[in-house]
Every structure is written in structure tokens, then in C-alpha cells.
Amino acid sequence: IKVNFDPDEVLEKVRKVLSKEDSKKEKMKGPRRHVLLVEDDDIMARMLARKLEKANYTVYSVGSVAEAHGILEKNVLDAVLLDILLPDVSGFALLEEMKAHKQWRDIPVIIISNLNQHSEIEKGRRLGATDYVVKAETSPGDLVKKVNALFKN
């Protein structure tokens, strides 16, 4: 079978189909949320940031509390993912500071840590964390689901 077609016409049809798909995806995703990721393990930070970006989040990734302050002061954030063991100050100290700060207190914070002792989890919740996730027991995909759940209202 011999078929005659115009390559430009085919390309135009493909563009239209792809354009419709992109439009559908954007409508499904909803508003772009802004997440601060405070994680000093570079490999973990890149992996989590990539997963969150694929889920339509804008991610500010930093490795210390000092850097986190800079992002908190200059941006409106929808959520924070916070490691506890950081090179400069404990993530618990940042959480406590956030919950005492008028502009930051309502930002949901999910602690992401490998500290899985009951006392550490209770401390995080007592200080105001929305959730406490043990990194070794949670996949990046499951963490994205937890972030998504913050905005399901």
C-alpha cells in the first residue's frame, strides 16, 4: 500500500494532539505549590526534589538552617520538608522557630529523618510538625503522596 501524505500536515496534527495533552495535564495538576526542602544529603535532596518537581511543585532545596532562613524570608511557601540532623542547627530548632514566627507558623512541616526513636517522633509532633517520616522506611514517591495530601481540601 502506498500512502501519500504531507509531512508538514502530519507534524501540525501531532502538535495539536500534544498541545491538547499538555493542556489536560495542566488542568489536572492545579496550582503550582512551593515547597522548601531542607536536606543536607545531596543525593537524597536531588532525588526528592526531582520527584516533587515531576508532581508540579516548585522546590527550593537547601542543606542548612541558615539557607532555609533565606528562602523563608523571601518566598511564600506552601510546605516544608525538614531533616533533623543538619550541619549548622537542628531541624527541631528551625521547626520551633517557624511555629513561633507569625508569617511561618501556618506552613505545614513534614519532618524527614532517619531518627526513628519514639521520643524524637513525639518531639517533632509536640513542636508542631504535621507529619514525621522516617526516610529509610519511606520511598520518595510515598513522600510526594504525603505532600499531595496536605492540599487535598
Side-chain angles (χ1 to χ4, degrees), residues 25-110:
K25 286 179 185 175
E26 285 306 312
K27 286 178 185 173
M28 288 175 21
K29 289 180 182 177
R32 195 163 180 89
R33 306 281 187 165
H34 297 257
V35 175
L36 171 59
L37 172 60
V38 187
E39 169 62 68
D40 63 326
D41 180 325
D42 190 50
I43 293 170
M44 177 65 75
R46 283 187 283 157
M47 184 171 44
L48 290 174
R50 197 170 315 130
K51 280 283 192 188
L52 289 162
E53 287 164 354
K54 284 183 179 180
N56 200 39
Y57 291 97
T58 297
V59 180
Y60 304 93
S61 184
V62 298
S64 70
V65 169
E67 292 171 308
H69 278 131
I71 300 298
L72 283 161
E73 290 167 3
K74 295 177 184 169
N75 299 277
V76 176
L77 299 169
D78 297 295
V80 174
L81 300 178
L82 178 62
D83 191 8
I84 297 303
L85 299 176
L86 296 164
D88 54 352
V89 180
S90 164
F92 285 135
L94 178 60
L95 175 59
E96 196 167 19
E97 183 181 353
M98 285 181 65
K99 295 306 174 181
H101 193 284
K102 184 175 144 184
Q103 289 179 285
W104 305 338
R105 75 172 54 125
D106 294 327
I107 301 170
V109 176
I110 298 176

Side-chain angles (χ1 to χ4, degrees), residues 1-7 10:
I1 297 174
K2 189 172 185 181
V3 178
N4 291 326
F5 61 89
D6 178 6
V10 171

Side-chain angles (χ1 to χ4, degrees), residues 11-27:
L11 283 173
E12 185 58 33
K13 286 185 180 192
V14 169
R15 282 189 194 106
K16 284 182 183 179
V17 168
L18 292 176
S19 172
K20 286 179 187 175
E21 289 299 315
D22 287 345
S23 174
K24 286 180 188 174
K25 286 179 185 175
E26 285 306 312
K27 286 178 185 173

